[in-house]
Amino acid sequence: MSTRDSGRNAEGGPSFGGTSAWGIGGGDTVFRVLSGASQGPDGIREGDDLPGSSERDVRLPPISKAEDWALMPDVKNYAQRGEKDNLKPKKLGVTWKDLTVKGIGSNAAFNENVLSQFNVPQSIKEGRHGPPLNTIIQDSHGCVKPGEMLLVLGRPGSGCTSLLKMLANRRNGYAEVTGDVHFGSMTAKEAEQYRGQIVMNTEEELFFPTLTVGQTMDFATRMKVPYHTLSDQHSHEDAQQEYRDFLLKSVGITHTFDTKVGNEYIRGVSGGERKRVSIIETLATRGSVFCWDNSTRGLDANTALQYTKAIRAMTDVAGLSSVVTLYQAGNGIYDLFDKVLVLDEGKEIYYGPREEARPFMEALGFMCGDGANVADFLTGVTVPTERQVRQGFEASFPRTADDIRAEYLRSNIRAMMEKEYSYPQSNEAVGNTAEFQAAVAYDKDNSLPKNSPLTVSFAKQVMACIVRQYQIVWGDKPTFIIKQVATLVQALVVGSLFYNSSTDSSGLFAKSGALFFALLYQALMTLSEVTDSFAGRPVLAKHKAFAFFHPAAFCIAQIAADLPVLFVQITQFSLVLYFMCSLKTTASAFFTFWVTLYAIAMCITAVMRAIGAVFSTFDDATKLSGFWFSALVVYMGYFMRKGEMHPWFVWIYWIDPLAYGFEMLLASEFHGEIIPCVNNNLIPNGPGYNDTNFQSCAGVPGAVQGATFVTGDQYLQAFSYHHSHIWRNFGIIWAWWAFFVAVTIVATSRWKETAGKSGFLVIPRENAHKNQKLLKMDEESQIEEKRSPRDGLAPANSSSGSSMDGKTIENQLIRNTSVFTWKDLTYTVKTPSGDLVLLDKVQGWVKPGMLGALMGSSGAGKTTLLDVLAQRKTEGTITGSILVDGRPLSVSFQRSAGYCEQLDIHEPTATVREALEFSALLRQSRDTPREEKIKYVDTIVNLLEMQDIEHTLVGRTGAGLSVEQRKRLTIGVELVAKPSILIFLDEPTSGLDGQAAFNTVRFLRKLAAVGQAVLVTIHQPSALLFKEFDTLLLLARGGKTVYFGDIGDDAGTLKDYFARNGAPCPKDMNPAEFMIDVVSGSASQGKDWNQVWLESPEHKAVSNEVDRIIEDAASKPPGTVDDGHEFAMPLWQQLTLVTHRMNVALYRNTDYINNKFALHIGSALFNGFTFWKIGNGVNDMQLKLFTIFNFIFVAPGVINQLQPLFIDRRDIYEFREKKSKMYSWIAFVTGLIVSEFPYLCICAVLYFAPWYYTVGFPTDSNVAGAVFFVMLFYEFIYTGIGQFIAAYAPNAVFASLVNPAIITVLVSFCGVLLPYSQIQEFWRYWMYYLDPFHYLMSSLLTFTVFDVDVQCGDHEYALFDTPNGQTCQAYLAPFQAGLGSRTNLINPEATSGCRVCQYRYGSDYLATVNINDYYVGWRDAAIVVIFAFSSYVMVYLFMKLRTKATKTAE
């Protein structure tokens, strides 16, 4: 390919390259599309006057509403360079007509519990009707031409996101979509191959948290470099880097280049910065149609405005079509749009020019207050408590969405907009689409198929994915290190266990055990792949929608990242284990061992990845991976030779990669060897028995009867193995690997973004009777008047909520008299590059009755300040003073102060009322009667207007409470605790629409009015919201104070301060937006506003006032009396409440419980039918040992599923409940442990019943009962082990990597892989006795095998002649009196052909595994019980070790 190369443009600006939407050709029509100008049906341009009033010349100079955007010259420069290269523009536009979208399901769905799921009649009854269809969007129309921006407005749940998904051509998950959507002149079907050009930025921020911002953007831009770059660019690399740097600059996050993106649990960039990364990653697609879903959530007002200007500028210059939905859009943002579409309950109540929207609604009788956000006014017209009606219209104004829609359908605006719907058939659209298709093809790499939506060649996709995969591995170093360290430790432990294995028959079992273990460990290490697969899935689905790469590229990249990691892992494992065990010391044997392990590790990794990729839920995938894992291990040929396998399951052997690997290892090790029989494998042996002519091997597979040695090849033959199969098997393992990789690629290609049905409430089945109203609404789905703004459910005229009189609230809410102050507060954290100051000498106060606002740009340290004030930090150094009433913080401060965090973290299986009651019962004083606490919950439920959702589940996003309902619950959970000092709220309005935000702040104002002290961080307050606050603490980047003090009437005091210092606030501007602009935006005038503040008289006054408040408060008795208790409730009550909540949570978590049950039933049947009706031969004793040993392997699958749940619960506890001193960590651990008990008892039954009788164990109830008793306690042991690993593990993937290390050590020393007598002395006298699995195996073997009569099969006898015609009895007398006392001579009178069976009874066999008496069974059963208790003690211990104290000011 020839990349045209001349230097960078004279201006030095970066270039987007290619015919991206930025390269626009067409001579003097470069800026033909003007902001605010929409084209009429005949191509006539219509401006900002009333529609149709004038016609403008197409060649007028460009006027964009974003002309003042800092990077506008850069954008224009790109366009001119594209024009110079005669690149075709990529203009498309989107038009839709009669669009109706239906989703499956209703407003509410049932959550079944463990018992109700088995109610078959009910399921049949409900299943007969089929799921109801829910209309999400009804009969919508519209047209967004190239160069136009449409603002879609609506309250949460009105269908805005669904409309955007339709306009981004994402139809997955919806039940029915009717109507026409055209992209340019293409239908939705035709546009599918251009998915990378029609993109959507969703509300969620989905990233690999361990990548830096630079790495994330580097990858995104690399995937979209045009094949033909601009003539003044040297290379693809140049084009990519220029574009990347431009994007970072465009949203002002260049400084975060080397910072991790992070997430809730991994520290990274701030929330606002992460949102901006999400925005530019979408822009990196170089698309033509962009849909932005609430993309300003979490951004401060200035950043939100700059973002909208950026979209405006690019839309104008590049002819994009932008569809945006926003909540709390200020008028500055609103004015940048061309058109507005208002949705209400899926109905389009207005669609037309932006400047006509307000007059249209006002003409219907609604009133928009001065300074109010027009966007909020438009969405509030159907809400009785929000709308204001003009005088004279009280009787005639339209009351419902249908009424307003009817008025709109009759209007001139509708008639005028209808003319645009024929745009797809116009010459302009057809021409644009042809140019668009040509431009996309021109950008695309020549090697890609014609209909591919991708841009760069497959090789480049793979390379970029590989680089990213290594960056992910490197970013998550702890996981990589734990893998390698665990492998090394494991190799050392097992190497020492099988140390120096002998070359005679006693070493056969040891060497086979070592080789089995080598494969087992590699297989166990891959189980974490399933967890991994689900962690990264949402990001990959997003990138697939952006057409960044083919899923195959990602799968290949994963494999490429595996190669070196596994190379290191297998090499260190092999070097240690191989030579410690004294395996065959030839180069060929060692490298065969190494290459087999490498191939197996690759293959089983591919198997687990395929399982992860095929299933849509983690629970289903763990179910299969746990089951499949045990099947692979049992059928690899170690437990049971191929000849002993039942015909109904032998096919598993043929599809088991481990079986091929095991044959390779055994064949390599034993081929060509001669193995003499010794010890109890040689009959007779000992003093006086030295003539090999009169001895015979016994119990050695492959040995010829009468021989005293076995050749390696005879031994292999007994397993149906052949040395000639080694390289055949090697090929088969790689063939399986290729097959599973192909399955992974196909399954990954079918992954879809989560879509469709969302936003429904979930009702626990047992609460159905309490939710009749919700269910009824569903059936009728016809509500006359719009419901209350808070939850969309309580009728506006209900006696609760808004209509509760102030007196009632005042009487019921707690009053506060304490003053909270902080002075010279500095917070420093350590980073790789040195100490970083996040707060710099901040001071201030909150008094009772005061509503304080804490503001600043994204990353200014607002959340950090709240965390420090609320005593939530566990790291870093805090200096300065934080005082209540002039005194240091008491032990009960953390629960006396309410803190609503930015993230709404709640127990998803609890109902709203349960969450509130839980908080009230645990955090209100122990002296308050329970009835009073519950009554107070009723008050708060009414106050928050949550009556209609109080019995529905919190759920997760999409199925459960909406963002706004969740936010209210977060506030409620803190309020019911009756915080006596003050309430902190971190961004309580983020993600809410204008009305919900106003309601939230109005509600906080109510709280302040009754004497609460409230401090709130807030991002984008409208002028109306800002008026509600009394004081403002304004921070600049680095936690530096810019202002603290009163806001004043109409923000007069604040405006006056800034005006005196040279920054007067423009008359019509929202003062809140202006303040942020001054701190971090264009209005800062380059001043150091922190310095201005420090030198101001206001700063001096604040310092003096803080000192005066502290002195004054310290001289009086404290306003709040500390009860001296760290927790409000005594430990016993904490235990009962927390355990009850955990019980309910598990009872409702049917996925988890069903998975547990299915794993037990499946494993038990599999184990039972594999070892079907075991006989009583010598070899059968070994099979009995192995079927019991196989029971141990139910644990890995269940543990892998149990740990993510434990860690989720732990995160909820650590991030919220622990910090608010709700309850002790002891109660937390107890609740988690006890809630599992009933299900573990059922699991024991579910394993015992299908397995015990199937394998043919004794039917005597004494034996069966004893076996069940031990099995039951094993359930407790492995659950305890899984929980104590999870208690300390930082995350679920880490835990799933530690599991194999622990389980393999326990399996190694339990006396199965190596009999007690052969374990090295170093381990034998302590590790063997510390291993719970040893006691488990010992007790189960004693009960099931001890009394069995052993009956040798013909081939199992030792067969030999006697010297000098002696009778067999006479010849063997000394032997049977000594070493052979447990053997059974069948023909004592014979003089030749003596037949000796190795054992008489099961007890003789058990003696070889160190079980010498029947009482050992009961002794070991008792020790199993002790281990069950001790494994739970470990959970407490590790949780205690993890629990860090919070930091206080020094």
Side-chain angles (χ1 to χ4, degrees):
M1 119 170 214
S2 62
T3 304
R4 289 165 288 182
D5 56 333
S6 44
R8 259 171 93 97
N9 58 314
E11 292 82 6
S15 161
F16 288 69
T19 59
S20 70
W22 322 104
I24 297 191
D28 56 354
T29 61
V30 174
F31 303 116
R32 203 170 43 126
V33 182
L34 306 181
S35 167
S38 58
Q39 286 184 314
D42 305 310
I44 298 169
R45 305 202 47 80
E46 291 154 357
D48 282 350
D49 310 286
L50 282 179
S53 63
S54 71
E55 187 177 310
R56 283 191 198 159
D57 185 348
V58 173
R59 292 190 165 84
L60 273 181
I63 307 159
S64 170
K65 285 182 181 160
E67 203 64 44
D68 60 345
W69 183 50
L71 297 186
M72 187 63 156
D74 289 9
V75 179
K76 289 183 175 177
N77 171 37
Y78 304 145
Q80 285 161 348
R81 290 160 67 197
E83 179 197 349
K84 196 175 76 185
D85 284 358
N86 289 322
L87 299 180
K88 289 187 168 65
K90 287 201 288 189
K91 298 179 182 179
L92 208 52
V94 56
T95 312
W96 64 103
K97 218 162 66 174
D98 306 322
L99 180 64
T100 298
V101 178
K102 294 186 178 179
I104 294 176
S106 44
N107 299 326
F110 280 116
N111 178 75
E112 301 296 349
N113 56 48
V114 171
L115 293 178
S116 72
Q117 62 177 335
F118 297 116
N119 186 340
V120 178
Q122 186 171 279
S123 308
I124 293 170
K125 183 178 152 197
E126 288 175 4
R128 270 213 315 267
H129 307 298
L133 287 189
N134 185 24
T135 302
I136 299 170
I137 296 169
Q138 187 179 326
D139 200 24
S140 173
H141 302 72
C143 174
V144 186
K145 294 179 186 166
E148 288 184 344
M149 284 176 72
L150 167 70
L151 176 61
V152 179
L153 294 171
R155 315 232 20 221
S158 57
C160 297
T161 301
S162 292
L163 179 61
L164 258 65
K165 282 185 174 172
M166 292 303 114
L167 303 187
N169 214 11
R170 297 185 179 191
R171 300 183 168 209
N172 168 48
Y174 292 97
E176 188 181 294
V177 180
T178 55
D180 297 328
V181 182
H182 280 88
F183 299 90
S185 61
M186 294 183 288
T187 62
K189 191 83 188 140
E190 290 164 344
E192 278 175 8
Q193 74 175 77
Y194 297 103
R195 68 164 187 262
Q197 297 296 316
I198 302 163
V199 290
M200 176 169 174
N201 175 253
T202 58
E203 223 174 328
E204 299 86 37
E205 286 130 34
L206 306 167
F207 296 105
F208 288 111
T210 56
L211 293 182
T212 65
V213 171
Q215 289 165 345
T216 302
M217 288 314 301
D218 200 68
F219 178 79
T221 47
R222 212 171 275 284
M223 293 290 89
K224 288 286 181 175
V225 180
Y227 184 62
H228 298 98
T229 53
L230 288 178
S231 54
D232 57 5
Q233 286 172 333
H234 294 296
S235 65
H236 285 131
E237 197 69 20
D238 271 4
Q240 179 257 328
Q241 283 175 6
E242 288 170 8
Y243 189 24
R244 179 196 67 201
D245 297 343
F246 167 79
L247 288 175
L248 289 166
K249 202 163 116 192
S250 72
V251 290
I253 54 170
T254 317
H255 61 280
T256 65
F257 192 86
D258 292 320
T259 312
K260 281 185 180 176
V261 176
N263 62 10
E264 298 93 323
Y265 309 119
I266 293 174
R267 224 171 81 191
V269 295
S270 73
E273 287 164 344
R274 194 175 306 128
K275 184 47 120 180
R276 285 181 266 173
V277 178
S278 159
I279 287 166
I280 56 175
E281 188 188 41
T282 307
L283 285 173
T285 59
R286 303 173 185 252
S288 301
V289 175
F290 283 95
C291 294
W292 302 94
D293 188 12
N294 199 12
S295 298
T296 57
R297 178 166 128 191
L299 299 185
D300 61 75
N302 180 58
T303 310
L305 181 63
Q306 292 307 316
Y307 149 75
T308 317
K309 280 185 176 173
I311 301 298
R312 176 80 265 177
M314 293 170 187
T315 302
D316 287 343
V317 175
L320 309 179
S321 304
S322 301
V323 185
V324 184
T325 130
L326 295 177
Y327 291 152
Q328 301 181 51
N331 288 338
I333 292 174
Y334 177 79
D335 290 341
L336 289 170
F337 287 88
D338 304 314
K339 296 174 178 174
V340 173
L341 188 154
V342 185
L343 281 176
D344 194 283
E345 292 186 333
K347 302 178 181 87
E348 195 174 291
I349 60 173
Y350 175 83
Y351 163 66
R354 183 226 353 122
E355 59 277 9
E356 289 294 296
R358 179 174 168 176
F360 170 76
M361 292 300 181
E362 286 177 331
L364 297 179
F366 300 107
M367 193 165 76
C368 182
D370 290 338
N373 282 351
V374 180
D376 291 347
F377 159 68
L378 294 176
T379 55
V381 291
T382 58
V383 187
T385 52
E386 302 297 334
R387 60 187 174 209
Q388 292 173 294
V389 180
R390 281 164 55 198
Q391 235 176 335
F393 283 87
E394 292 86 345
S396 61
F397 78 93
R399 280 164 169 71
T400 64
D402 288 322
D403 296 344
I404 300 174
R405 181 176 165 79
E407 292 290 341
Y408 170 70
L409 293 176
R410 288 195 287 273
S411 69
N412 294 337
I413 298 172
R414 154 84 190 294
M416 183 189 78
M417 299 316 285
E418 261 189 335
K419 294 175 185 168
E420 293 189 336
Y421 301 158
S422 59
Y423 176 74
Q425 286 76 48
S426 69
N427 293 338
E428 183 188 345
V430 173
N432 278 346
T433 307
E435 285 190 332
F436 163 83
Q437 289 169 333
V440 171
Y442 187 70
D443 277 354
K444 206 156 58 177
D445 193 283
N446 291 343
S447 63
L448 293 170
K450 266 203 171 112
N451 59 354
S452 168
L454 309 173
T455 307
V456 299
S457 68
F458 187 69
K460 283 187 177 167
Q461 293 169 37
V462 172
M463 273 314 298
C465 286
I466 289 173
V467 170
R468 182 179 69 170
Q469 207 59 31
Y470 281 123
Q471 288 167 342
I472 290 170
V473 171
W474 188 244
D476 189 13
K477 286 191 278 290
T479 302
F480 174 74
I481 292 164
I482 187 89
K483 250 186 179 175
Q484 303 314 320
V485 171
T487 302
L488 183 60
V489 169
Q490 206 61 51
L492 286 166
V493 168
V494 178
S496 61
L497 175 70
F498 295 104
Y499 184 70
N500 230 351
S501 299
S502 63
T503 53
D504 54 36
S505 67
S506 63
L508 268 181
F509 197 65
K511 286 184 175 178
S512 300
L515 297 174
F516 163 74
F517 181 83
L519 291 177
L520 175 74
Y521 183 72
Q522 304 312 326
L524 267 171
M525 285 299 273
T526 63
L527 278 175
S528 64
E529 289 299 332
V530 179
T531 317
D532 256 354
S533 168
F534 284 87
R537 182 177 292 201
V539 187
L540 299 173
K542 174 178 79 169
H543 286 171
K544 184 187 165 197
F546 284 168
F548 277 171
F549 54 83
H550 191 281
F554 170 73
C555 296
I556 292 168
Q558 274 190 312
I559 293 161
D562 289 341
L563 294 172
V565 173
L566 286 178
F567 182 87
V568 173
Q569 191 174 309
I570 301 293
T571 303
Q572 58 165 339
F573 185 82
S574 301
L575 285 170
V576 172
L577 182 84
Y578 194 87
F579 295 107
M580 281 183 81
C581 293
S582 296
L583 297 174
K584 191 189 276 187
T585 48
T586 65
S588 65
F590 172 74
F591 284 109
T592 303
F593 178 83
W594 184 89
V595 82
T596 305
L597 289 195
Y598 195 83
I600 284 293
M602 289 292 286
C603 187
I604 305 298
T605 300
V607 172
M608 293 306 165
R609 271 194 198 137
I611 291 172
V614 166
F615 286 95
S616 57
T617 68
F618 176 70
D619 278 335
D620 286 345
T622 42
K623 211 179 298 177
L624 187 75
S625 64
F627 184 69
W628 188 233
F629 174 78
S630 59
L632 294 183
V633 170
V634 172
Y635 280 86
M636 67 191 277
Y638 174 72
F639 290 150
M640 186 181 255
R641 303 203 291 268
K642 182 175 160 282
E644 294 163 341
M645 293 175 188
H646 280 286
W648 52 56
F649 278 154
V650 76
W651 55 272
I652 299 175
Y653 172 84
W654 293 114
I655 63 165
D656 182 353
L658 291 179
Y660 294 101
F662 194 54
E663 180 175 5
M664 286 175 73
L665 294 182
L666 251 62
S668 167
E669 178 62 30
F670 294 120
H671 172 62
E673 299 289 299
I674 289 178
I675 302 144
C677 294
V678 296
N679 302 339
N680 62 346
N681 290 133
L682 185 64
I683 294 178
N685 68 61
Y689 296 102
N690 299 322
D691 190 341
T692 55
N693 293 318
F694 305 109
Q695 290 173 304
S696 174
C697 288
V700 180
V704 177
Q705 284 181 317
T708 56
F709 65 86
V710 62
T711 67
D713 292 294
Q714 284 172 335
Y715 180 69
L716 292 174
Q717 189 64 50
F719 286 86
S720 313
Y721 291 168
H722 298 280
H723 182 256
S724 59
H725 288 175
I726 288 183
W727 298 110
R728 178 203 75 172
N729 289 5
F730 186 66
I732 292 172
I733 291 169
W734 285 108
W736 278 121
W737 171 82
F739 171 74
F740 287 113
V741 167
V743 169
T744 309
I745 291 173
V746 171
T748 309
S749 305
R750 296 183 176 192
W751 280 357
K752 294 184 172 72
E753 281 199 290
T754 47
K757 182 72 183 90
S758 66
F760 56 93
L761 293 167
V762 183
I763 300 167
R765 176 66 75 178
E766 64 273 25
N767 283 4
H769 61 285
K770 297 179 184 172
N771 282 290
Q772 286 310 315
K773 190 169 178 187
L774 266 181
L775 299 168
K776 217 181 182 97
M777 264 173 44
D778 232 17
E779 288 161 24
E780 295 161 8
S781 284
Q782 291 294 322
I783 301 129
E784 284 308 305
E785 179 83 74
K786 180 76 177 185
R787 301 181 295 273
S788 150
R790 294 313 213 68
D791 48 26
L793 292 165
N797 58 359
S798 71
S799 60
S800 64
S802 47
S803 59
M804 267 177 82
D805 61 56
K807 265 279 167 271
T808 322
I809 295 168
E810 200 166 324
N811 293 340
Q812 290 183 308
L813 286 173
I814 190 164
R815 296 185 72 87
N816 171 26
T817 53
S818 292
V819 182
F820 183 72
T821 58
W822 59 98
K823 185 167 186 200
D824 294 336
L825 203 57
T826 301
Y827 178 59
T828 317
V829 292
K830 296 203 177 314
T831 67
S833 51
D835 285 356
L836 178 64
V837 177
L838 295 179
L839 295 174
D840 192 0
K841 299 209 165 157
V842 183
Q843 55 186 2
W845 64 80
V846 189
K847 297 177 181 174
M850 170 179 140
L851 180 57
L854 173 53
M855 291 176 67
S857 58
S858 296
K862 301 183 293 295
T863 302
T864 306
L865 176 59
L866 280 196
D867 281 346
V868 169
L869 293 179
Q871 305 283 290
R872 300 298 168 94
K873 289 288 183 198
T874 53
E875 272 153 23
T877 310
I878 303 167
T879 57
S881 71
I882 304 174
L883 306 172
V884 172
D885 292 330
R887 297 164 177 81
L889 304 183
S890 65
V891 69
S892 63
F893 172 77
Q894 276 171 270
R895 64 179 167 82
S896 309
Y899 185 12
C900 303
E901 299 203 40
Q902 196 173 342
L903 298 163
D904 303 310
I905 298 173
H906 296 286
E907 166 58 60
T909 54
T911 65
V912 170
R913 174 166 275 281
E914 285 163 1
L916 294 171
E917 286 183 0
F918 185 71
S919 179
L921 292 170
L922 280 169
R923 283 178 64 189
Q924 286 187 31
S925 162
R926 57 182 70 187
D927 305 324
T928 311
R930 184 185 170 98
E931 294 69 36
E932 204 175 303
K933 292 181 181 179
I934 300 294
K935 199 170 164 203
Y936 191 66
V937 171
D938 295 336
T939 305
I940 300 297
V941 166
N942 286 339
L943 196 65
L944 290 168
E945 292 165 15
M946 298 179 90
Q947 304 90 325
D948 280 346
I949 55 168
E950 63 177 315
H951 297 297
T952 65
L953 293 185
V954 175
R956 301 191 184 276
T957 318
L961 301 186
S962 67
V963 175
E964 186 235 356
Q965 290 163 343
R966 221 168 267 270
K967 188 62 77 182
R968 267 189 289 143
L969 177 59
T970 304
I971 297 171
V973 162
E974 295 303 317
L975 285 182
V976 293
K978 285 196 175 173
S980 54
I981 296 175
L982 82 163
I983 300 173
F984 299 103
L985 298 103
D986 191 9
E987 292 185 25
T989 60
S990 260
L992 306 186
D993 67 317
Q995 278 85 7
F998 181 69
N999 283 324
T1000 305
V1001 174
R1002 195 180 60 185
F1003 169 65
L1004 297 175
R1005 180 75 264 170
K1006 271 185 199 172
L1007 288 179
V1010 296
Q1012 267 294 0
V1014 186
L1015 182 61
V1016 183
T1017 65
I1018 197 148
H1019 254 326
Q1020 292 172 290
S1022 63
L1024 211 58
L1025 272 189
F1026 196 54
K1027 277 182 191 168
E1028 299 284 333
F1029 291 94
D1030 302 316
T1031 58
L1032 170 70
L1033 172 53
L1034 188 59
L1035 294 179
R1037 182 165 279 286
K1040 297 176 191 297
T1041 309
V1042 173
Y1043 179 83
F1044 175 75
D1046 288 343
I1047 293 172
D1049 288 340
D1050 276 340
T1053 316
L1054 185 63
K1055 287 177 183 171
D1056 180 50
Y1057 169 77
F1058 281 102
R1060 271 189 291 118
N1061 288 295
C1065 177
K1067 188 170 180 299
D1068 295 332
M1069 190 164 181
N1070 174 355
E1073 291 182 15
F1074 176 69
M1075 298 312 131
I1076 301 291
D1077 208 16
V1078 166
V1079 179
S1080 61
S1082 52
S1084 67
Q1085 305 166 1
K1087 280 189 188 178
D1088 180 351
W1089 283 95
N1090 173 240
Q1091 201 52 43
V1092 171
W1093 165 252
L1094 292 174
E1095 291 162 4
S1096 70
E1098 282 86 352
H1099 171 250
K1100 198 169 180 210
V1102 165
S1103 298
N1104 295 337
E1105 179 66 5
V1106 171
D1107 293 338
R1108 191 197 65 73
I1109 291 172
I1110 292 173
E1111 235 173 275
D1112 187 39
S1115 64
K1116 295 178 187 167
T1120 319
V1121 183
D1122 177 29
D1123 59 9
H1125 299 299
E1126 185 181 4
F1127 302 103
M1129 300 303 283
L1131 184 61
W1132 174 248
Q1133 280 173 292
Q1134 293 176 39
L1135 289 172
T1136 50
L1137 285 164
V1138 175
T1139 305
H1140 174 70
R1141 179 174 76 158
M1142 298 288 188
N1143 277 329
V1144 172
L1146 274 195
Y1147 181 61
R1148 290 180 181 152
N1149 192 343
T1150 49
D1151 279 353
Y1152 173 75
I1153 298 298
N1154 290 350
N1155 197 344
K1156 227 182 177 67
F1157 289 171
L1159 250 169
H1160 277 80
I1161 295 169
S1163 302
L1165 287 170
F1166 183 70
N1167 191 359
F1169 282 102
T1170 294
F1171 295 95
W1172 172 259
K1173 298 289 180 201
I1174 304 172
N1176 291 331
V1178 170
N1179 197 48
D1180 292 332
M1181 297 299 107
Q1182 191 89 333
L1183 293 181
K1184 288 184 182 190
L1185 171 88
F1186 282 140
T1187 186
I1188 293 170
F1189 185 54
N1190 203 25
F1191 167 54
I1192 286 179
F1193 289 96
V1194 75
V1198 181
I1199 288 176
N1200 258 24
Q1201 180 218 0
L1202 162 156
Q1203 286 172 332
L1205 188 77
F1206 186 101
I1207 289 168
D1208 275 353
R1209 297 276 185 282
R1210 189 194 68 194
D1211 287 342
I1212 293 171
Y1213 171 67
E1214 287 188 339
F1215 279 83
R1216 192 168 60 82
E1217 294 164 344
K1218 182 184 100 179
K1219 289 176 179 174
S1220 58
K1221 298 285 181 194
M1222 203 183 255
Y1223 54 89
S1224 152
W1225 63 271
I1226 297 172
F1228 168 74
V1229 174
T1230 308
L1232 270 171
I1233 287 172
V1234 173
S1235 59
E1236 290 273 2
F1237 285 176
Y1239 305 104
L1240 294 177
C1241 295
I1242 295 169
C1243 283
V1245 174
L1246 292 178
Y1247 199 103
F1248 175 81
W1251 167 68
Y1252 184 83
Y1253 298 103
T1254 323
V1255 291
F1257 280 149
T1259 51
D1260 177 1
S1261 59
N1262 289 330
V1263 174
V1267 169
F1268 176 73
F1269 175 78
V1270 177
M1271 287 174 71
L1272 174 62
F1273 278 90
Y1274 174 61
E1275 295 285 338
F1276 298 143
I1277 287 176
Y1278 79 69
T1279 303
I1281 291 170
Q1283 288 181 332
F1284 83 64
I1285 294 170
Y1288 200 72
N1291 55 46
V1293 173
F1294 187 93
S1296 65
L1297 289 169
V1298 176
N1299 296 338
I1302 305 264
I1303 287 168
T1304 43
V1305 167
L1306 296 180
V1307 162
S1308 306
F1309 292 101
C1310 71
V1312 172
L1313 293 184
L1314 204 59
Y1316 172 76
S1317 57
Q1318 291 182 32
I1319 296 175
Q1320 294 299 319
E1321 287 178 3
F1322 173 74
W1323 298 112
R1324 191 191 306 167
Y1325 298 120
W1326 65 284
M1327 195 67 201
Y1328 175 75
Y1329 290 104
L1330 283 179
D1331 187 343
F1333 289 6
H1334 145 222
Y1335 298 99
L1336 172 78
M1337 292 297 302
S1338 170
S1339 52
L1340 291 178
L1341 278 169
T1342 306
F1343 297 140
T1344 53
V1345 176
F1346 199 87
D1347 294 326
V1348 169
D1349 281 330
V1350 178
Q1351 289 148 2
C1352 269
D1354 284 342
H1355 61 287
E1356 292 177 328
Y1357 290 112
L1359 199 62
F1360 52 88
D1361 294 331
T1362 58
N1364 310 322
Q1366 281 178 285
T1367 64
C1368 296
Q1369 190 169 16
Y1371 175 57
L1372 291 175
F1375 171 67
Q1376 288 197 304
L1379 291 174
S1381 60
R1382 294 183 182 275
T1383 57
N1384 185 11
L1385 175 60
I1386 301 299
N1387 50 349
E1389 301 307 322
T1391 54
S1392 65
C1394 300
R1395 294 157 76 84
V1396 178
C1397 190
Q1398 252 180 307
Y1399 313 116
R1400 289 168 304 173
Y1401 304 107
S1403 53
D1404 300 328
Y1405 167 70
L1406 293 181
T1408 65
V1409 289
N1410 199 34
I1411 300 171
N1412 296 313
D1413 216 326
Y1414 193 80
Y1415 81 86
V1416 170
W1418 283 109
R1419 180 200 71 187
D1420 289 355
I1423 295 173
V1424 166
V1425 174
I1426 294 167
F1427 268 108
F1429 282 105
S1430 63
S1431 70
Y1432 285 131
V1433 169
M1434 296 288 280
V1435 188
Y1436 287 98
L1437 180 66
F1438 278 102
M1439 196 67 201
K1440 174 63 182 158
L1441 287 174
R1442 189 185 162 81
T1443 306
K1444 293 180 187 169
T1446 49
K1447 293 278 179 182
T1448 50
E1450 294 167 6

